[in-house]
Structure formats: structure tokens, C-alpha cells
Amino acid sequence: MKQPAVVAGAGVIGLTVACKLQESGRYSVVVVAENAPGELPTGEKQSTKWASPWAGAHWRAWASNQDTTLQEMEIKTYRAMMSIAANVSEAGIHVAQGIDLFEDLPEEKPWYISMVNDGVELPVESLPENVMYGVQYSTLLIDVPKYLNYLSTRFKSLGGTVVKKHIDHILDATQYADSEQNTMVIVNCTGLGSHTLGGVCDQAMYPSRGQTLLVNAPDAKRTITRLGKQFGYIIPRGNDTVIIGGTTDKHQWKCEPNALITDTIISRALNLEPSLLPVDARVLDKDAQVQALKKNIISVNVGLRPMRDGGVRLESESMRTAENGKVVVVHCYGHGGFGYQSSLAYADKVYNLVNAAVF
């Protein structure tokens, strides 16, 4: 008999974990989440507190040169997603050129440049004004709505079940597991929800508000990130639309778009990538270019990244239900802005933790 398991949370981490457990053949998995991929009523948007739908997303290393744990998670996911990009067209992952620009000269070469495909340092003379260092490499663009739907569809095709339900306490998830089993398994992938979720209430969790724009820009093919005071990024989605951003407003819970931030995002994005505009609009003066790109805005988005002081919480603990039933809870949350680019490797880690606790 398969071991029942409940995954709380249906973001990229929760769905990736659910697929990993379900495909192993050892587990019968139910995903329980207030928000999950799927069609919404006309005019409705996904919750801003559910981070995954609002991501760019692309693979760009978040780990520092000293953080070897996160380096492992990111490079393993990079390699796995390269395989998905080559073999699974419906996943919405594409290979593209990536450029990282640093306003401050790094003390040492970024760790990832020797591990990714086609990684090179950019000539100093090719760098934009006030940029001290740059690298170029082959990276991955992730069409977020398409990828989340792919994960959800794949999970269900493997026999998994998704239940759209809010839970107030982590042990509320046990009602979706087979109570006849001696041990119930819950995987907590609730992201920012772990800040207030009963039985967890992790005060190390906090939001980082991110405002982005989705624009129509079919000529933009590269993903570019500028790190520093003029922070900004451009992430094509492979379908003629592009995410441009953005902000990293720590401890900011407000989800209303800011018009001044929109103007700043557009101005910085055009400095990074003139091909966001059609050829005939690139000769306009700066103000006219900003207005031209504004006309191509599809949506203004605000999402809350699930940040955590101390980094990702990845561990298991034992709990008891009110009926004294044994529950193994594996926590995997707090991925901030690097959920997609580390998701597959973290799912492997969760799988090993669950196996160790149950078998």
C-alpha cells in the first residue's frame, strides 16, 4: 500500500515536491492549497500573497560565492531544467542568452560562470555606463503560467489530487490523509503563509515586495539583469511577452501598484534593452520611448517574495494530532526570489527526508 502524503501549498516548490513524491510510486499525494493553477473567473487575478504566479522567471544565480548549499540546489536545477527545455515543449522552459551586469566590481569571479553553459566574462569596453563587470551565459527562461500548469497537469496525470482549501493549522492537512496509516506525512510548502500558519508561525518569514510589468515586446530575446543602485531586469517569456522589473522592497506588505515605480522600471529597462521597442521607436527621445513602451503594457503586477532570515527551512519534525496520531512534517519554505531556479533540487531533498522519516 502506498504511503499517503499531503503537500500544503501549490506554488512551484509545492507542485514540484508533489510530482517527485507521486512519481516515485511510494506515495499517494494530495496537494492542499488555497491557491492553485487553473482558470480564474473573468477579471480576477491570482492572490499577490501567492508568490509563484508573479515570478519572472529565469535562472540567474542567487547564491553567493560562499553559499555552497544554495549553489548545489541552483546548479542541479539548472541542469535538470536544461533537459526539460530540450525534451518537454509543453513545460514552457526555453534556453536563451543571459547577461548579468554588476555596478560594483566583484571581489572574485561569480561561482556559476564556470558551471553554466557558454559562460564568459564580458569585455570592459562593452559594458554600459557605471557598470564595472559583466558575464554572459546560456540560461533558462520560464513561462511561469505555462510551467505551473504543466506541473499541475503532470501531477494529476500521475494520479495526484489537488484540493483548493485554506488551512489554519498545519495539522489541518491531516484530514486529507488516510488516517488508517500509522504515520501521516505532511510537507509544508506554504511559503509566506508559514508566517501565520498555526503550528508553524515562523517569525523569520517576511515579504519582499516586487513590482513588475508584463509588456508586449517580440524583439526582446535576451534576459538581462543589472545589479546595483540602478537594479532592473528583463525576462522574455518566449511568447512575445516580456517581464520587466523590478523592486525588492523588504518587509513591505502593500500590494497596490505604484505609478512612479512603473515609470522607473520602464526607463531602466529601456537602458538595458532598446529592443523592447519596435525599430522605428528606438530613435525617439527618452521620454517618447517611455510613453511608447507604456502603450505596450499588458499588466502591472505586484507579488510578495517569501523571504526568510537564515535562509530556506528544510527539516523534518514529529507532531501529534488531537487523537495522538503520529505526524511527520517536512518543512520546505522560505525560497525568496530563487524558488524556480532551485525547485527541482529541493524536491529531491524533501523526497529523501520523507523517505528517511517513513521507511
Side-chain angles (χ1 to χ4, degrees), residues 175-335:
Q175 64 186 288
Y176 301 98
D178 184 354
S179 59
E180 295 181 3
Q181 294 290 312
N182 292 329
T183 301
M184 288 182 276
V185 175
I186 300 172
V187 184
N188 175 23
C189 301
T190 57
L192 194 56
S194 288
H195 180 71
T196 56
L197 181 64
V200 183
C201 292
D202 190 340
Q203 297 307 295
M205 290 296 299
Y206 66 92
S208 174
R209 179 187 182 278
Q211 180 169 322
T212 64
L213 311 176
L214 179 66
V215 300
N216 185 56
D219 292 342
K221 305 298 183 184
R222 307 178 297 176
T223 178
I224 306 172
T225 303
R226 178 165 174 159
L227 301 161
K229 293 181 179 179
Q230 297 294 310
F231 174 69
Y233 53 84
I234 295 159
I235 307 175
R237 283 191 162 173
N239 61 358
D240 292 343
T241 67
V242 179
I243 287 285
I244 61 174
T247 62
T248 54
D249 306 318
K250 293 183 178 181
H251 302 283
Q252 176 60 262
W253 291 88
K254 292 182 180 180
C255 296
E256 297 78 19
N258 182 301
L260 293 177
I261 290 175
T262 293
D263 288 346
T264 299
I265 288 172
I266 291 174
S267 179
R268 291 180 180 180
L270 287 171
N271 287 337
L272 287 175
E273 184 61 285
S275 67
L276 287 167
L277 291 171
V279 174
D280 59 348
R282 298 173 201 171
V283 298
L284 301 173
D285 62 46
K286 188 59 181 293
D287 289 341
Q289 288 186 20
V290 169
Q291 294 306 313
L293 189 53
K294 271 188 172 182
K295 294 178 181 178
N296 291 334
I297 293 175
I298 299 169
S299 62
V300 181
N301 314 309
V302 176
L304 302 178
R305 302 178 186 91
M307 310 298 290
R308 184 174 185 272
D309 290 328
V312 174
R313 184 182 182 191
L314 179 65
E315 62 181 351
S316 62
E317 66 171 318
S318 295
M319 293 186 176
R320 291 279 178 180
T321 66
E323 296 77 25
N324 205 35
K326 181 182 177 182
V327 182
V328 172
V329 180
V330 176
H331 299 283
C332 186
Y333 63 83
H335 297 80

Side-chain angles (χ1 to χ4, degrees), residues 32-34 163-169 172 175-176 197:
V32 179
E34 183 174 4
V163 177
K164 292 188 72 172
K165 190 76 174 180
H166 173 82
I167 59 174
D168 295 310
H169 193 286
D172 290 348
Q175 64 186 288
Y176 301 98
L197 181 64

Side-chain angles (χ1 to χ4, degrees), residues 10-21 23 52 55 57-60 62 69-82 84 91 93 140 142 144 147-148 150-151 154 187 189 312 314 332-352:
V12 67
I13 299 296
L15 289 173
T16 307
V17 166
C19 285
K20 179 68 178 182
L21 294 173
E23 73 181 0
S52 289
H58 60 174
W59 190 99
R60 188 190 67 78
W62 188 285
T69 298
L70 184 52
Q71 288 177 21
E72 177 190 0
M73 298 297 98
E74 290 185 326
I75 200 63
K76 283 187 174 181
T77 301
Y78 175 89
R79 291 166 181 161
M81 282 190 168
M82 277 289 178
I84 293 173
I93 299 179
L140 296 145
I142 304 162
V144 165
Y147 187 60
L148 288 175
Y150 159 73
L151 289 175
R154 182 166 179 268
V187 184
C189 301
V312 174
L314 179 65
C332 186
Y333 63 83
H335 297 80
F338 53 88
Y340 281 86
Q341 68 200 53
S342 62
S343 56
L344 290 161
Y346 271 108
D348 288 343
K349 291 286 189 181
V350 169
Y351 177 68
N352 292 336

